[in-house]
Amino acid sequence: MKFSEMTQDSWAELQLYLDTCLIPYTALTGNQSPVEATEALERLRDFLDLVEIPFKGRIMTYPAYHFEIPEMSMALNTVCKQLKASGFKYVVIMSSDGLLEKEHMPDADLILLRSDIVRKIEETKFRGISGRKSVSCGKNEF
C-alpha cells in the first residue's frame, strides 16, 4: 500500500495489519542523465515489486529517497527510528543501486540491496560450478 492511499480513518483501522514500512532508496548522484535516472527508477520499481506484490496489505511503502548524500546510512537510520516511534513495528530499506553501511543502521530491521543479492547468486552459481568434478580437455583440466 502506498502512503498516499491512506486516510486518517483507514490508518487507525489498518495500523494493526500494516506493521511494516518500506523505504525505497534510489541512490542517484546527480551525475546521471535523464535516461540513466529513469533506468535507475525502473530498476528500483522492479526490485520493490518483489516485496510489495506478495506482501500487499502488510506493507506501507513510503516516499523514496532519491539522492545520495554523505552519511546516508545514518540519515536513513534516523528515519527508521522515527517511523518505529510513529507505530511501525518493522522498517525495511530497499535499494537496487545503493550501497549502505549496515553497521550504521541498527534501527533498520532489514536492508535489501539488489547488488548484494546479485553478488550472492553469482557466488552460489560459482560454488556450484567449481564444486563439480573437473573435466579434462587434452592437457587442460577445467
Side-chain angles (χ1 to χ4, degrees):
M1 176 174 259
K2 305 287 185 211
F3 71 97
S4 58
E5 298 170 353
M6 188 63 61
T7 65
Q8 188 65 36
D9 292 336
S10 61
W11 174 240
E13 181 181 324
L14 295 174
Q15 190 172 7
L16 294 173
Y17 306 104
L18 292 168
D19 62 352
T20 303
C21 178
L22 182 63
I23 303 173
Y25 172 49
T26 313
L28 297 174
T29 62
N31 294 325
Q32 294 90 348
S33 70
V35 172
E36 292 168 326
T38 299
E39 291 169 351
L41 288 166
E42 289 171 349
R43 279 190 301 277
L44 181 59
R45 177 205 58 209
D46 293 345
F47 189 47
L48 291 170
D49 281 351
L50 297 174
V51 173
E52 287 178 320
I53 292 171
F55 295 103
K56 187 174 183 173
R58 291 288 313 259
I59 290 180
M60 172 71 63
T61 302
Y62 261 60
Y65 279 81
H66 291 293
F67 289 92
E68 192 175 78
I69 61 167
E71 309 299 332
M72 190 69 203
S73 297
M74 288 192 284
L76 284 171
N77 189 66
T78 300
V79 172
C80 291
K81 188 180 294 189
Q82 292 168 334
L83 286 167
K84 285 182 175 185
S86 76
F88 286 102
K89 186 172 182 180
Y90 307 104
V91 180
V92 177
I93 298 171
M94 290 184 70
S95 181
S96 59
D97 298 326
L99 298 174
L100 296 167
E101 298 171 20
K102 296 176 184 180
E103 63 273 4
H104 294 291
M105 304 179 72
D107 291 300
D109 294 290
L110 182 62
I111 301 167
L112 296 173
L113 302 177
R114 186 178 151 273
S115 58
D116 284 350
I117 294 168
V118 168
R119 182 180 42 57
K120 287 176 185 173
I121 289 171
E122 288 171 357
E123 287 173 3
T124 302
K125 284 182 183 178
F126 178 75
R127 272 188 250 126
I129 291 168
S130 65
R132 293 184 192 152
K133 189 174 180 180
S134 61
V135 178
S136 294
C137 184
K139 291 186 177 181
N140 299 320
E141 197 172 282
F142 299 95

